Amino acid sequence: MDKLTIFPDKPISDAGVISNKFLSLGVHTFIEACQYVHALPYGYNSDPDDLMILFKENKGTCTTKHAVIATLAAESNLPIEKSIGVYAMTEEIVTGTKKILKKYHLPYVPMIHCFLVYGEYRVDLSEGNNNGKNQPIEDFLYMKQVDPNISAKDEYLLYRKALNDQILKRKEMEGVELKQILHAREEGLQLLKKNIRAI
């Protein structure tokens, strides 16, 4: 992933609900807004579909952090988009994964992560946070540009489509059924949350 300083910078104007929120917080440029969001603690929000939840709870995940900044980019007419990726979660990336892989007979657990895209650059505003992962996610099995505030339901449907259309067809997934992956994903999410609390 690339550093957020590769983004173009411009003053935030009175252009929408997110722009106004940042201005009310004394944040006046796009880069300052990115730095503000990156500095917020990593944590699972009570309602990820609420665009303002990041500010209400003063924490966020890759989903809510990037929803806010992608919305600000749209309000600021900056060519920065939110993308969803499915990555291969392994023990190397998330401590404790090997137990899940053994239980479900999987080479890895396909998991969702999201980030921002600007031209050929990719920026993760949750990188370096206590996010349950041992390292940044660099490689993806699947990527797709999405609306800044895509709903949790639509994100899950997109994940299932990626599994069926692409990931389950990979050689290493031969003999694996969709339900195995979905059960492993649920345990993977619990593991990530547990790892965050453990630090």
Side-chain angles (χ1 to χ4, degrees), residues 5 8-9 12 18 20 26 41-42 45 53 64 79 86 88 93 96 111 155 173 184 193:
T5 48
D9 200 12
I12 297 172
I18 295 297
N20 289 336
Y42 191 93
N45 299 108
I53 200 71
T64 51
V86 178
I93 295 172
M111 296 290 282
E155 184 180 272
M173 287 293 183
K193 290 176 183 178

Side-chain angles (χ1 to χ4, degrees), residues 10-44:
K10 68 186 295 187
I12 297 172
S13 61
D14 181 6
V17 64
I18 295 297
S19 299
N20 289 336
K21 181 61 181 177
F22 277 117
L23 289 172
S24 76
L25 293 168
V27 176
H28 296 287
T29 71
F30 184 78
I31 292 289
E32 284 177 10
C34 291
Q35 292 167 334
Y36 177 94
V37 167
H38 179 257
L40 286 175
Y42 191 93
Y44 288 82

Side-chain angles (χ1 to χ4, degrees), residues 41-169:
Y42 191 93
Y44 288 82
N45 299 108
S46 58
D47 181 6
D49 290 343
D50 178 358
L51 184 59
M52 304 304 286
I53 200 71
L54 183 84
F55 302 107
K56 294 173 186 174
E57 297 182 345
N58 286 308
K59 65 179 180 180
T61 62
C62 63
T63 297
T64 51
K65 287 190 174 206
H66 296 127
V68 163
I69 293 300
T71 300
L72 178 63
E75 291 177 0
S76 304
N77 292 313
L78 290 172
I80 297 163
E81 308 288 347
K82 179 177 171 180
S83 281
I84 281 178
V86 178
Y87 70 97
M89 191 169 100
T90 60
E91 181 71 20
E92 184 181 26
I93 295 172
V94 179
T95 302
T97 302
K98 64 182 175 185
K99 192 173 177 182
I100 300 172
L101 301 183
K102 186 175 180 182
K103 179 177 178 180
Y104 293 101
H105 308 288
L106 295 173
Y108 50 78
V109 183
M111 296 290 282
I112 282 184
H113 190 61
C114 59
F115 48 92
L116 300 170
V117 174
Y118 169 58
E120 76 252 35
Y121 300 105
R122 296 186 305 192
V123 175
D124 178 3
L125 295 178
S126 67
E127 189 174 301
N129 293 165
N130 169 25
N131 59 16
K133 303 177 185 73
N134 299 325
Q135 62 191 49
I137 307 299
E138 299 290 350
D139 299 312
F140 293 92
L141 306 166
Y142 171 89
M143 290 189 294
K144 184 174 177 61
Q145 183 180 313
V146 296
D147 290 335
N149 201 31
I150 183 173
S151 70
K153 179 183 177 182
D154 286 345
E155 184 180 272
Y156 178 69
L157 292 174
L158 184 64
Y159 171 73
R160 284 186 65 129
K161 182 170 170 52
L163 292 178
N164 283 316
D165 292 354
Q166 295 190 28
I167 295 166
L168 277 167
K169 294 177 181 176

Side-chain angles (χ1 to χ4, degrees), residues 173-189:
M173 287 293 183
E174 193 174 332
V176 173
E177 295 183 10
L178 178 64
K179 64 181 179 181
Q180 284 171 259
I181 295 179
L182 296 180
H183 287 309
R185 171 187 172 270
E186 285 303 315
E187 293 194 23
L189 288 170

